[in-house]
PDB file of all heavy atoms in Angstrom:
ATOM      1  N   ARG A 323     -25.325  -8.010  20.030  1.00  0.00           N
ATOM      2  CA  ARG A 323     -26.734  -8.293  20.401  1.00  0.00           C
ATOM      3  C   ARG A 323     -26.959  -8.036  21.908  1.00  0.00           C
ATOM      4  O   ARG A 323     -27.979  -7.475  22.299  1.00  0.00           O
ATOM      5  CB  ARG A 323     -27.193  -9.692  20.062  1.00  0.00           C
ATOM      6  CG  ARG A 323     -27.275  -9.968  18.546  1.00  0.00           C
ATOM      7  CD  ARG A 323     -27.851 -11.263  18.268  1.00  0.00           C
ATOM      8  NE  ARG A 323     -29.143 -11.477  18.831  1.00  0.00           N
ATOM      9  CZ  ARG A 323     -29.807 -12.610  18.979  1.00  0.00           C
ATOM     10  NH1 ARG A 323     -29.163 -13.763  18.674  1.00  0.00           N
ATOM     11  NH2 ARG A 323     -30.964 -12.712  19.500  1.00  0.00           N
ATOM     12  N   LEU A 324     -25.906  -8.383  22.710  1.00  0.00           N
ATOM     13  CA  LEU A 324     -25.978  -8.163  24.139  1.00  0.00           C
ATOM     14  C   LEU A 324     -26.015  -6.596  24.404  1.00  0.00           C
ATOM     15  O   LEU A 324     -26.772  -6.083  25.208  1.00  0.00           O
ATOM     16  CB  LEU A 324     -24.777  -8.774  24.877  1.00  0.00           C
ATOM     17  CG  LEU A 324     -24.844  -8.682  26.439  1.00  0.00           C
ATOM     18  CD1 LEU A 324     -25.906  -9.580  26.964  1.00  0.00           C
ATOM     19  CD2 LEU A 324     -23.496  -9.143  26.942  1.00  0.00           C
ATOM     20  N   ASP A 325     -25.204  -5.855  23.661  1.00  0.00           N
ATOM     21  CA  ASP A 325     -25.122  -4.408  23.808  1.00  0.00           C
ATOM     22  C   ASP A 325     -26.385  -3.747  23.306  1.00  0.00           C
ATOM     23  O   ASP A 325     -26.825  -2.711  23.878  1.00  0.00           O
ATOM     24  CB  ASP A 325     -23.947  -3.864  23.032  1.00  0.00           C
ATOM     25  CG  ASP A 325     -23.583  -2.455  23.467  1.00  0.00           C
ATOM     26  OD1 ASP A 325     -23.030  -2.323  24.612  1.00  0.00           O
ATOM     27  OD2 ASP A 325     -23.751  -1.483  22.715  1.00  0.00           O
ATOM     28  N   ASN A 326     -27.025  -4.377  22.299  1.00  0.00           N
ATOM     29  CA  ASN A 326     -28.337  -3.832  21.870  1.00  0.00           C
ATOM     30  C   ASN A 326     -29.374  -3.939  22.929  1.00  0.00           C
ATOM     31  O   ASN A 326     -30.201  -3.078  23.117  1.00  0.00           O
ATOM     32  CB  ASN A 326     -28.817  -4.529  20.586  1.00  0.00           C
ATOM     33  CG  ASN A 326     -27.897  -4.333  19.394  1.00  0.00           C
ATOM     34  OD1 ASN A 326     -27.130  -3.336  19.345  1.00  0.00           O
ATOM     35  ND2 ASN A 326     -28.018  -5.229  18.366  1.00  0.00           N
ATOM     36  N   GLN A 327     -29.293  -5.029  23.717  1.00  0.00           N
ATOM     37  CA  GLN A 327     -30.275  -5.249  24.823  1.00  0.00           C
ATOM     38  C   GLN A 327     -29.931  -4.414  25.966  1.00  0.00           C
ATOM     39  O   GLN A 327     -30.832  -3.877  26.670  1.00  0.00           O
ATOM     40  CB  GLN A 327     -30.240  -6.739  25.159  1.00  0.00           C
ATOM     41  CG  GLN A 327     -31.310  -7.180  26.159  1.00  0.00           C
ATOM     42  CD  GLN A 327     -32.714  -7.092  25.600  1.00  0.00           C
ATOM     43  OE1 GLN A 327     -32.969  -7.580  24.517  1.00  0.00           O
ATOM     44  NE2 GLN A 327     -33.590  -6.535  26.351  1.00  0.00           N
ATOM     45  N   PHE A 328     -28.646  -4.281  26.352  1.00  0.00           N
ATOM     46  CA  PHE A 328     -28.194  -3.560  27.451  1.00  0.00           C
ATOM     47  C   PHE A 328     -27.162  -2.484  26.987  1.00  0.00           C
ATOM     48  O   PHE A 328     -25.984  -2.728  27.070  1.00  0.00           O
ATOM     49  CB  PHE A 328     -27.577  -4.499  28.557  1.00  0.00           C
ATOM     50  CG  PHE A 328     -28.518  -5.610  28.944  1.00  0.00           C
ATOM     51  CD1 PHE A 328     -28.201  -6.930  28.608  1.00  0.00           C
ATOM     52  CD2 PHE A 328     -29.689  -5.389  29.662  1.00  0.00           C
ATOM     53  CE1 PHE A 328     -29.019  -7.965  28.924  1.00  0.00           C
ATOM     54  CE2 PHE A 328     -30.470  -6.416  30.042  1.00  0.00           C
ATOM     55  CZ  PHE A 328     -30.182  -7.743  29.706  1.00  0.00           C
ATOM     56  N   PRO A 329     -27.609  -1.307  26.488  1.00  0.00           N
ATOM     57  CA  PRO A 329     -26.699  -0.403  25.879  1.00  0.00           C
ATOM     58  C   PRO A 329     -25.533   0.023  26.764  1.00  0.00           C
ATOM     59  O   PRO A 329     -25.727   0.354  27.931  1.00  0.00           O
ATOM     60  CB  PRO A 329     -27.626   0.807  25.606  1.00  0.00           C
ATOM     61  CG  PRO A 329     -28.989   0.182  25.472  1.00  0.00           C
ATOM     62  CD  PRO A 329     -28.983  -0.936  26.459  1.00  0.00           C
ATOM     63  N   GLY A 330     -24.320  -0.079  26.274  1.00  0.00           N
ATOM     64  CA  GLY A 330     -23.117   0.341  26.975  1.00  0.00           C
ATOM     65  C   GLY A 330     -22.379  -0.830  27.663  1.00  0.00           C
ATOM     66  O   GLY A 330     -21.241  -0.703  28.043  1.00  0.00           O
ATOM     67  N   ILE A 331     -22.999  -2.007  27.705  1.00  0.00           N
ATOM     68  CA  ILE A 331     -22.426  -3.156  28.487  1.00  0.00           C
ATOM     69  C   ILE A 331     -21.129  -3.610  27.763  1.00  0.00           C
ATOM     70  O   ILE A 331     -20.208  -4.013  28.427  1.00  0.00           O
ATOM     71  CB  ILE A 331     -23.385  -4.277  28.649  1.00  0.00           C
ATOM     72  CG1 ILE A 331     -22.935  -5.269  29.659  1.00  0.00           C
ATOM     73  CG2 ILE A 331     -23.710  -4.978  27.266  1.00  0.00           C
ATOM     74  CD1 ILE A 331     -23.974  -6.356  30.090  1.00  0.00           C
ATOM     75  N   ARG A 332     -21.094  -3.523  26.438  1.00  0.00           N
ATOM     76  CA  ARG A 332     -19.982  -4.017  25.717  1.00  0.00           C
ATOM     77  C   ARG A 332     -18.642  -3.297  26.102  1.00  0.00           C
ATOM     78  O   ARG A 332     -17.608  -3.920  26.123  1.00  0.00           O
ATOM     79  CB  ARG A 332     -20.233  -3.909  24.187  1.00  0.00           C
ATOM     80  CG  ARG A 332     -19.188  -4.589  23.363  1.00  0.00           C
ATOM     81  CD  ARG A 332     -19.634  -4.641  21.876  1.00  0.00           C
ATOM     82  NE  ARG A 332     -18.670  -5.411  21.089  1.00  0.00           N
ATOM     83  CZ  ARG A 332     -18.933  -5.709  19.825  1.00  0.00           C
ATOM     84  NH1 ARG A 332     -20.019  -5.332  19.236  1.00  0.00           N
ATOM     85  NH2 ARG A 332     -17.949  -6.373  19.157  1.00  0.00           N
ATOM     86  N   GLY A 333     -18.787  -2.001  26.404  1.00  0.00           N
ATOM     87  CA  GLY A 333     -17.607  -1.195  26.777  1.00  0.00           C
ATOM     88  C   GLY A 333     -16.976  -1.629  28.084  1.00  0.00           C
ATOM     89  O   GLY A 333     -15.856  -1.240  28.360  1.00  0.00           O
ATOM     90  N   SER A 334     -17.735  -2.416  28.896  1.00  0.00           N
ATOM     91  CA  SER A 334     -17.181  -2.785  30.224  1.00  0.00           C
ATOM     92  C   SER A 334     -16.653  -4.231  30.185  1.00  0.00           C
ATOM     93  O   SER A 334     -16.179  -4.773  31.144  1.00  0.00           O
ATOM     94  CB  SER A 334     -18.316  -2.779  31.250  1.00  0.00           C
ATOM     95  OG  SER A 334     -19.279  -3.881  31.026  1.00  0.00           O
ATOM     96  N   ILE A 335     -16.506  -4.856  28.967  1.00  0.00           N
ATOM     97  CA  ILE A 335     -15.962  -6.203  28.837  1.00  0.00           C
ATOM     98  C   ILE A 335     -14.468  -6.231  28.842  1.00  0.00           C
ATOM     99  O   ILE A 335     -13.879  -5.551  27.974  1.00  0.00           O
ATOM    100  CB  ILE A 335     -16.561  -6.878  27.608  1.00  0.00           C
ATOM    101  CG1 ILE A 335     -18.013  -7.067  27.626  1.00  0.00           C
ATOM    102  CG2 ILE A 335     -15.866  -8.212  27.366  1.00  0.00           C
ATOM    103  CD1 ILE A 335     -18.706  -7.583  26.426  1.00  0.00           C
ATOM    104  N   GLU A 336     -13.901  -6.823  29.806  1.00  0.00           N
ATOM    105  CA  GLU A 336     -12.470  -6.960  29.958  1.00  0.00           C
ATOM    106  C   GLU A 336     -11.962  -8.280  29.331  1.00  0.00           C
ATOM    107  O   GLU A 336     -10.848  -8.392  28.817  1.00  0.00           O
ATOM    108  CB  GLU A 336     -12.004  -6.890  31.448  1.00  0.00           C
ATOM    109  CG  GLU A 336     -10.516  -7.047  31.631  1.00  0.00           C
ATOM    110  CD  GLU A 336     -10.228  -6.942  33.120  1.00  0.00           C
ATOM    111  OE1 GLU A 336     -10.837  -6.167  33.855  1.00  0.00           O
ATOM    112  OE2 GLU A 336      -9.341  -7.675  33.590  1.00  0.00           O
ATOM    113  N   TYR A 337     -12.822  -9.321  29.394  1.00  0.00           N
ATOM    114  CA  TYR A 337     -12.428 -10.614  28.927  1.00  0.00           C
ATOM    115  C   TYR A 337     -13.598 -11.287  28.284  1.00  0.00           C
ATOM    116  O   TYR A 337     -14.756 -11.137  28.733  1.00  0.00           O
ATOM    117  CB  TYR A 337     -11.869 -11.446  30.107  1.00  0.00           C
ATOM    118  CG  TYR A 337     -12.096 -12.972  29.953  1.00  0.00           C
ATOM    119  CD1 TYR A 337     -11.198 -13.731  29.271  1.00  0.00           C
ATOM    120  CD2 TYR A 337     -13.238 -13.576  30.487  1.00  0.00           C
ATOM    121  CE1 TYR A 337     -11.375 -15.092  29.072  1.00  0.00           C
ATOM    122  CE2 TYR A 337     -13.471 -14.936  30.365  1.00  0.00           C
ATOM    123  CZ  TYR A 337     -12.531 -15.720  29.644  1.00  0.00           C
ATOM    124  OH  TYR A 337     -12.726 -17.070  29.500  1.00  0.00           O
ATOM    125  N   TYR A 338     -13.381 -12.022  27.171  1.00  0.00           N
ATOM    126  CA  TYR A 338     -14.415 -12.889  26.597  1.00  0.00           C
ATOM    127  C   TYR A 338     -13.663 -14.103  25.966  1.00  0.00           C
ATOM    128  O   TYR A 338     -12.547 -13.973  25.474  1.00  0.00           O
ATOM    129  CB  TYR A 338     -15.317 -12.132  25.592  1.00  0.00           C
ATOM    130  CG  TYR A 338     -14.705 -11.704  24.355  1.00  0.00           C
ATOM    131  CD1 TYR A 338     -14.645 -12.583  23.192  1.00  0.00           C
ATOM    132  CD2 TYR A 338     -14.148 -10.458  24.193  1.00  0.00           C
ATOM    133  CE1 TYR A 338     -14.081 -12.192  22.017  1.00  0.00           C
ATOM    134  CE2 TYR A 338     -13.565  -9.996  23.054  1.00  0.00           C
ATOM    135  CZ  TYR A 338     -13.532 -10.864  21.925  1.00  0.00           C
ATOM    136  OH  TYR A 338     -12.955 -10.476  20.750  1.00  0.00           O
ATOM    137  N   GLU A 339     -14.447 -15.245  25.914  1.00  0.00           N
ATOM    138  CA  GLU A 339     -13.882 -16.411  25.348  1.00  0.00           C
ATOM    139  C   GLU A 339     -15.090 -17.329  24.994  1.00  0.00           C
ATOM    140  O   GLU A 339     -16.072 -17.436  25.729  1.00  0.00           O
ATOM    141  CB  GLU A 339     -12.924 -17.111  26.355  1.00  0.00           C
ATOM    142  CG  GLU A 339     -12.222 -18.363  25.859  1.00  0.00           C
ATOM    143  CD  GLU A 339     -11.220 -18.849  26.835  1.00  0.00           C
ATOM    144  OE1 GLU A 339     -11.000 -18.245  27.876  1.00  0.00           O
ATOM    145  OE2 GLU A 339     -10.676 -19.949  26.549  1.00  0.00           O
ATOM    146  N   VAL A 340     -14.935 -17.993  23.801  1.00  0.00           N
ATOM    147  CA  VAL A 340     -15.991 -18.844  23.281  1.00  0.00           C
ATOM    148  C   VAL A 340     -15.674 -20.285  23.564  1.00  0.00           C
ATOM    149  O   VAL A 340     -14.544 -20.781  23.250  1.00  0.00           O
ATOM    150  CB  VAL A 340     -16.242 -18.618  21.842  1.00  0.00           C
ATOM    151  CG1 VAL A 340     -17.302 -19.599  21.297  1.00  0.00           C
ATOM    152  CG2 VAL A 340     -16.688 -17.225  21.638  1.00  0.00           C
ATOM    153  N   ALA A 341     -16.593 -21.034  24.088  1.00  0.00           N
ATOM    154  CA  ALA A 341     -16.543 -22.523  24.148  1.00  0.00           C
ATOM    155  C   ALA A 341     -17.599 -23.086  23.225  1.00  0.00           C
ATOM    156  O   ALA A 341     -18.770 -22.757  23.436  1.00  0.00           O
ATOM    157  CB  ALA A 341     -16.689 -23.000  25.544  1.00  0.00           C
ATOM    158  N   THR A 342     -17.224 -23.976  22.285  1.00  0.00           N
ATOM    159  CA  THR A 342     -18.141 -24.558  21.383  1.00  0.00           C
ATOM    160  C   THR A 342     -18.447 -25.963  21.665  1.00  0.00           C
ATOM    161  O   THR A 342     -17.838 -26.542  22.603  1.00  0.00           O
ATOM    162  CB  THR A 342     -17.517 -24.455  19.966  1.00  0.00           C
ATOM    163  OG1 THR A 342     -16.521 -25.459  19.864  1.00  0.00           O
ATOM    164  CG2 THR A 342     -16.967 -23.053  19.606  1.00  0.00           C
ATOM    165  N   PRO A 343     -19.358 -26.621  20.932  1.00  0.00           N
ATOM    166  CA  PRO A 343     -19.584 -28.072  21.133  1.00  0.00           C
ATOM    167  C   PRO A 343     -18.285 -28.821  20.994  1.00  0.00           C
ATOM    168  O   PRO A 343     -18.109 -29.935  21.640  1.00  0.00           O
ATOM    169  CB  PRO A 343     -20.621 -28.409  20.074  1.00  0.00           C
ATOM    170  CG  PRO A 343     -21.358 -27.167  19.910  1.00  0.00           C
ATOM    171  CD  PRO A 343     -20.381 -26.071  20.058  1.00  0.00           C
ATOM    172  N   LYS A 344     -17.370 -28.362  20.169  1.00  0.00           N
ATOM    173  CA  LYS A 344     -16.042 -28.999  19.991  1.00  0.00           C
ATOM    174  C   LYS A 344     -15.236 -28.956  21.202  1.00  0.00           C
ATOM    175  O   LYS A 344     -14.531 -29.939  21.601  1.00  0.00           O
ATOM    176  CB  LYS A 344     -15.347 -28.343  18.816  1.00  0.00           C
ATOM    177  CG  LYS A 344     -14.233 -29.162  18.175  1.00  0.00           C
ATOM    178  CD  LYS A 344     -13.688 -28.512  16.939  1.00  0.00           C
ATOM    179  CE  LYS A 344     -12.629 -29.342  16.271  1.00  0.00           C
ATOM    180  NZ  LYS A 344     -12.175 -28.729  14.963  1.00  0.00           N
ATOM    181  N   THR A 345     -15.389 -27.852  21.962  1.00  0.00           N
ATOM    182  CA  THR A 345     -14.703 -27.701  23.308  1.00  0.00           C
ATOM    183  C   THR A 345     -15.233 -28.701  24.290  1.00  0.00           C
ATOM    184  O   THR A 345     -14.437 -29.352  24.930  1.00  0.00           O
ATOM    185  CB  THR A 345     -14.956 -26.303  23.804  1.00  0.00           C
ATOM    186  OG1 THR A 345     -14.666 -25.311  22.823  1.00  0.00           O
ATOM    187  CG2 THR A 345     -14.009 -26.002  24.976  1.00  0.00           C
ATOM    188  N   ILE A 346     -16.549 -28.799  24.267  1.00  0.00           N
ATOM    189  CA  ILE A 346     -17.187 -29.752  25.212  1.00  0.00           C
ATOM    190  C   ILE A 346     -16.699 -31.177  24.934  1.00  0.00           C
ATOM    191  O   ILE A 346     -16.377 -31.996  25.762  1.00  0.00           O
ATOM    192  CB  ILE A 346     -18.742 -29.639  25.214  1.00  0.00           C
ATOM    193  CG1 ILE A 346     -19.095 -28.278  25.698  1.00  0.00           C
ATOM    194  CG2 ILE A 346     -19.364 -30.767  25.963  1.00  0.00           C
ATOM    195  CD1 ILE A 346     -20.585 -27.900  25.453  1.00  0.00           C
ATOM    196  N   GLN A 347     -16.687 -31.552  23.631  1.00  0.00           N
ATOM    197  CA  GLN A 347     -16.300 -32.865  23.185  1.00  0.00           C
ATOM    198  C   GLN A 347     -14.802 -33.110  23.584  1.00  0.00           C
ATOM    199  O   GLN A 347     -14.469 -34.216  24.055  1.00  0.00           O
ATOM    200  CB  GLN A 347     -16.412 -33.006  21.646  1.00  0.00           C
ATOM    201  CG  GLN A 347     -16.056 -34.431  21.162  1.00  0.00           C
ATOM    202  CD  GLN A 347     -16.055 -34.550  19.679  1.00  0.00           C
ATOM    203  OE1 GLN A 347     -15.326 -33.703  19.049  1.00  0.00           O
ATOM    204  NE2 GLN A 347     -16.616 -35.506  19.121  1.00  0.00           N
ATOM    205  N   ARG A 348     -13.958 -32.098  23.434  1.00  0.00           N
ATOM    206  CA  ARG A 348     -12.540 -32.277  23.720  1.00  0.00           C
ATOM    207  C   ARG A 348     -12.321 -32.590  25.281  1.00  0.00           C
ATOM    208  O   ARG A 348     -11.438 -33.402  25.608  1.00  0.00           O
ATOM    209  CB  ARG A 348     -11.791 -31.018  23.304  1.00  0.00           C
ATOM    210  CG  ARG A 348     -10.235 -31.141  23.612  1.00  0.00           C
ATOM    211  CD  ARG A 348      -9.460 -30.092  22.867  1.00  0.00           C
ATOM    212  NE  ARG A 348      -9.593 -28.793  23.422  1.00  0.00           N
ATOM    213  CZ  ARG A 348     -10.243 -27.740  22.914  1.00  0.00           C
ATOM    214  NH1 ARG A 348     -10.873 -27.938  21.745  1.00  0.00           N
ATOM    215  NH2 ARG A 348     -10.306 -26.586  23.528  1.00  0.00           N
ATOM    216  N   TYR A 349     -13.004 -31.857  26.082  1.00  0.00           N
ATOM    217  CA  TYR A 349     -12.802 -31.956  27.562  1.00  0.00           C
ATOM    218  C   TYR A 349     -13.548 -33.147  28.213  1.00  0.00           C
ATOM    219  O   TYR A 349     -13.139 -33.514  29.265  1.00  0.00           O
ATOM    220  CB  TYR A 349     -13.055 -30.621  28.209  1.00  0.00           C
ATOM    221  CG  TYR A 349     -11.927 -29.576  27.999  1.00  0.00           C
ATOM    222  CD1 TYR A 349     -12.117 -28.591  27.107  1.00  0.00           C
ATOM    223  CD2 TYR A 349     -10.749 -29.648  28.674  1.00  0.00           C
ATOM    224  CE1 TYR A 349     -11.067 -27.639  26.887  1.00  0.00           C
ATOM    225  CE2 TYR A 349      -9.693 -28.778  28.525  1.00  0.00           C
ATOM    226  CZ  TYR A 349      -9.902 -27.731  27.638  1.00  0.00           C
ATOM    227  OH  TYR A 349      -8.925 -26.820  27.355  1.00  0.00           O
ATOM    228  N   THR A 350     -14.671 -33.481  27.638  1.00  0.00           N
ATOM    229  CA  THR A 350     -15.498 -34.496  28.229  1.00  0.00           C
ATOM    230  C   THR A 350     -15.518 -35.799  27.439  1.00  0.00           C
ATOM    231  O   THR A 350     -15.994 -36.793  27.961  1.00  0.00           O
ATOM    232  CB  THR A 350     -16.963 -34.018  28.438  1.00  0.00           C
ATOM    233  OG1 THR A 350     -17.573 -33.909  27.115  1.00  0.00           O
ATOM    234  CG2 THR A 350     -16.957 -32.716  29.221  1.00  0.00           C
ATOM    235  N   SER A 351     -15.058 -35.796  26.197  1.00  0.00           N
ATOM    236  CA  SER A 351     -15.139 -36.937  25.300  1.00  0.00           C
ATOM    237  C   SER A 351     -16.606 -37.306  24.901  1.00  0.00           C
ATOM    238  O   SER A 351     -16.742 -38.380  24.334  1.00  0.00           O
ATOM    239  CB  SER A 351     -14.432 -38.136  25.880  1.00  0.00           C
ATOM    240  OG  SER A 351     -12.987 -37.885  25.974  1.00  0.00           O
ATOM    241  N   ASN A 352     -17.568 -36.526  25.253  1.00  0.00           N
ATOM    242  CA  ASN A 352     -18.866 -36.829  24.861  1.00  0.00           C
ATOM    243  C   ASN A 352     -19.105 -36.707  23.391  1.00  0.00           C
ATOM    244  O   ASN A 352     -18.856 -35.728  22.790  1.00  0.00           O
ATOM    245  CB  ASN A 352     -19.873 -35.820  25.616  1.00  0.00           C
ATOM    246  CG  ASN A 352     -20.168 -36.204  27.036  1.00  0.00           C
ATOM    247  OD1 ASN A 352     -20.066 -37.376  27.364  1.00  0.00           O
ATOM    248  ND2 ASN A 352     -20.591 -35.205  27.831  1.00  0.00           N
ATOM    249  N   PRO A 353     -19.634 -37.851  22.792  1.00  0.00           N
ATOM    250  CA  PRO A 353     -19.922 -37.774  21.362  1.00  0.00           C
ATOM    251  C   PRO A 353     -20.892 -36.725  21.039  1.00  0.00           C
ATOM    252  O   PRO A 353     -21.850 -36.317  21.811  1.00  0.00           O
ATOM    253  CB  PRO A 353     -20.564 -39.141  21.069  1.00  0.00           C
ATOM    254  CG  PRO A 353     -20.067 -40.076  22.119  1.00  0.00           C
ATOM    255  CD  PRO A 353     -19.890 -39.111  23.362  1.00  0.00           C
ATOM    256  N   SER A 354     -20.713 -35.967  19.920  1.00  0.00           N
ATOM    257  CA  SER A 354     -21.613 -34.858  19.477  1.00  0.00           C
ATOM    258  C   SER A 354     -21.418 -33.640  20.450  1.00  0.00           C
ATOM    259  O   SER A 354     -22.130 -32.610  20.228  1.00  0.00           O
ATOM    260  CB  SER A 354     -22.986 -35.245  19.461  1.00  0.00           C
ATOM    261  OG  SER A 354     -23.219 -36.389  18.604  1.00  0.00           O
ATOM    262  N   GLY A 355     -20.508 -33.754  21.381  1.00  0.00           N
ATOM    263  CA  GLY A 355     -20.440 -32.604  22.422  1.00  0.00           C
ATOM    264  C   GLY A 355     -21.742 -32.565  23.200  1.00  0.00           C
ATOM    265  O   GLY A 355     -22.061 -31.545  23.797  1.00  0.00           O
ATOM    266  N   SER A 356     -22.452 -33.693  23.241  1.00  0.00           N
ATOM    267  CA  SER A 356     -23.718 -33.734  23.950  1.00  0.00           C
ATOM    268  C   SER A 356     -23.585 -33.460  25.447  1.00  0.00           C
ATOM    269  O   SER A 356     -22.701 -34.025  26.122  1.00  0.00           O
ATOM    270  CB  SER A 356     -24.371 -35.077  23.741  1.00  0.00           C
ATOM    271  OG  SER A 356     -24.666 -35.327  22.395  1.00  0.00           O
ATOM    272  N   VAL A 357     -24.444 -32.521  25.951  1.00  0.00           N
ATOM    273  CA  VAL A 357     -24.365 -32.236  27.393  1.00  0.00           C
ATOM    274  C   VAL A 357     -25.419 -32.984  28.226  1.00  0.00           C
ATOM    275  O   VAL A 357     -25.325 -32.993  29.462  1.00  0.00           O
ATOM    276  CB  VAL A 357     -24.445 -30.754  27.577  1.00  0.00           C
ATOM    277  CG1 VAL A 357     -23.182 -30.016  27.243  1.00  0.00           C
ATOM    278  CG2 VAL A 357     -25.699 -30.128  26.842  1.00  0.00           C
ATOM    279  N   TYR A 358     -26.406 -33.550  27.553  1.00  0.00           N
ATOM    280  CA  TYR A 358     -27.510 -34.271  28.308  1.00  0.00           C
ATOM    281  C   TYR A 358     -27.503 -35.735  27.933  1.00  0.00           C
ATOM    282  O   TYR A 358     -28.556 -36.396  28.187  1.00  0.00           O
ATOM    283  CB  TYR A 358     -28.778 -33.605  27.973  1.00  0.00           C
ATOM    284  CG  TYR A 358     -28.793 -32.155  28.256  1.00  0.00           C
ATOM    285  CD1 TYR A 358     -29.061 -31.191  27.227  1.00  0.00           C
ATOM    286  CD2 TYR A 358     -28.413 -31.623  29.487  1.00  0.00           C
ATOM    287  CE1 TYR A 358     -29.036 -29.813  27.397  1.00  0.00           C
ATOM    288  CE2 TYR A 358     -28.332 -30.223  29.714  1.00  0.00           C
ATOM    289  CZ  TYR A 358     -28.642 -29.369  28.659  1.00  0.00           C
ATOM    290  OH  TYR A 358     -28.596 -27.977  28.863  1.00  0.00           O
ATOM    291  N   GLY A 359     -26.415 -36.292  27.419  1.00  0.00           N
ATOM    292  CA  GLY A 359     -26.435 -37.679  27.018  1.00  0.00           C
ATOM    293  C   GLY A 359     -27.356 -37.993  25.835  1.00  0.00           C
ATOM    294  O   GLY A 359     -27.464 -37.123  24.913  1.00  0.00           O
TER     295      GLY A 359
END
């Protein structure tokens, strides 16, 4: 979808990584992975 918006940008990606609500919960201990309390 990013490449559809900005054609060619995908070819310049060297690194990508996904952080999910589960990631937020693991590192902050916030219930529900909530970022705004």
Side-chain angles (χ1 to χ4, degrees):
R323 290 185 63 196
L324 186 68
D325 197 71
N326 293 342
Q327 185 69 46
F328 306 111
I331 193 172
R332 189 170 183 173
S334 71
I335 295 174
E336 179 179 322
Y337 151 84
Y338 68 89
E339 186 172 355
V340 175
T342 72
K344 199 171 182 178
T345 312
I346 295 170
Q347 184 190 48
R348 181 166 74 251
Y349 284 102
T350 67
S351 294
N352 279 335
S354 307
S356 298
V357 285
Y358 308 122

